[in-house]
Amino acid sequence: VYDKLTSPKRGRISLSKSAKMWYNSFMSHNCTLCPVNCGADREKTEGACGGGLYARGAKYGLHPYEEPCISCGAGSGTVFFSGCALRCVFCQNSSISAENAHGRDFDAAGFIALMQSLESEGAHNINLVTPTHFAGQIAAALRQYKPKVPVVYNCGGYESVETLRSLEGLVDVYLPDFKYADDALAVRLSNAPDYSRTALAALREMVRQTGENVYGDDGLLQRGVIVRHLILPAHTRNSLAVLDLLAAEFPGVPVSLMAQYVPMGRVPAD
């Protein structure tokens, strides 16, 4: 059960001096947080992701349906962010990822309070869903307060290595998609040029940061990487190529193979 964040609330983002230097150079005036590199001045306008100056959350709650090592038991403390730099035509969260109008704007103190609320409810981790375009704000908050449970970075795999490096020591578990080995398909379905090379470089950085996966006595993942891949109908060759790439590059990294595709997002209209 999720609580929707429907009461917009704006305030000044509280940043440490070092966080502010990073935040200003990478996002505020010339946004390069993700490989889209739209260059938007997000103090004045929205980026390609739909994000502006403030981190915007759409809904949050304990989520019992992630991978068992992420959410088995009480559930994963999930925060869904509004907007996304990718434009996947099949996105099951398109109502919040493609439309940044939903949700509430957070300053660092508000986001910290939300994480603490999920911790108090017994969340096994803090699971940040589609966080890439708010990485600066998230990093600033995590530098002020690091949850007592693992922080999960649940992303689309189309990531900037430089942005990921700024999160080192703040994120415990990376849960990226690896959507495509076929770059033409990536452009057609997600508007993501050079997806496979970009995602491979990002995944190498994630694995470098976390090392081998570490599990608790309860079987829950405390540190490490799990890669997700959604099998798309009529594109099983892409899936097989993805698995070959992952097996060759990351033989020790678990893969969560997903077959729950349903025609959502813009697919029915197209």
Side-chain angles (χ1 to χ4, degrees):
V1 177
Y2 295 108
D3 291 318
K4 292 183 178 180
L5 296 165
T6 55
S7 301
K9 181 181 179 181
R10 296 187 179 274
R12 185 175 298 277
I13 297 176
S14 302
L15 301 174
S16 68
K17 184 176 180 180
S18 61
K20 188 172 184 178
M21 289 175 62
W22 179 88
Y23 178 78
N24 283 338
S25 62
F26 283 90
M27 198 206 75
S28 295
H29 305 294
N30 182 28
C31 188
T32 58
L33 279 176
C34 79
V36 172
N37 287 324
C38 70
D41 182 348
R42 285 174 54 179
E43 287 188 2
K44 299 176 181 178
T45 187
E46 294 179 347
C49 58
L53 181 60
Y54 299 89
R56 175 166 288 192
K59 57 183 180 179
Y60 72 100
L62 295 180
H63 184 21
Y65 301 119
E66 300 283 38
E67 287 75 5
C69 62
I70 298 291
S71 65
C72 185
S76 179
T78 308
V79 181
F80 288 86
F81 291 96
S82 298
C84 182
L86 291 175
R87 285 292 180 261
C88 303
V89 298
F90 50 84
C91 181
Q92 65 181 9
N93 292 320
S94 61
S95 62
I96 58 176
S97 66
E99 303 173 22
N100 200 41
H102 296 277
R104 172 181 162 187
D105 292 345
F106 280 98
D107 61 11
F111 183 56
I112 288 169
L114 178 59
M115 292 191 290
Q116 291 173 332
S117 172
L118 289 168
E119 284 184 285
S120 71
E121 293 179 32
H124 295 311
N125 45 60
I126 302 299
N127 186 351
L128 308 176
V129 182
T130 319
T132 301
H133 52 304
F134 296 125
Q137 296 95 324
I138 290 168
L142 291 175
R143 287 188 179 102
Q144 293 182 42
Y145 174 77
K146 183 69 166 65
K148 299 176 179 64
V149 295
V151 173
V152 179
Y153 200 78
N154 186 340
C155 61
Y158 196 58
E159 313 297 319
S160 160
V161 170
E162 197 164 17
T163 297
L164 292 172
R165 286 175 181 160
S166 75
L167 298 167
E168 186 166 4
L170 303 175
V171 170
D172 304 290
V173 175
Y174 284 101
L175 188 60
D177 294 333
F178 201 108
K179 300 176 187 289
Y180 308 105
D182 182 337
D183 285 335
L185 189 65
V187 171
R188 176 185 163 198
L189 298 184
S190 295
N191 193 29
D194 205 17
Y195 181 95
S196 59
R197 183 191 64 82
T198 303
L200 281 172
L203 190 49
R204 291 187 195 105
E205 175 60 22
M206 295 174 191
V207 171
R208 183 197 69 78
Q209 288 185 25
T210 66
E212 293 185 4
N213 285 11
V214 176
Y215 299 87
D217 294 338
D218 54 6
L220 292 169
L221 185 59
Q222 301 299 305
R223 185 173 180 82
V225 178
I226 296 176
V227 180
R228 289 172 162 175
H229 175 72
L230 175 66
I231 301 171
L232 297 172
H235 296 296
T236 52
R237 288 183 181 177
N238 173 65
S239 294
L240 292 172
V242 165
L243 295 176
D244 285 342
L245 273 177
L246 294 175
E249 288 261 358
F250 309 101
V253 175
V255 176
S256 177
L257 198 58
M258 302 183 293
Q260 70 265 34
Y261 170 85
V262 290
M264 300 183 74
R266 300 196 307 277
V267 171
D270 292 348

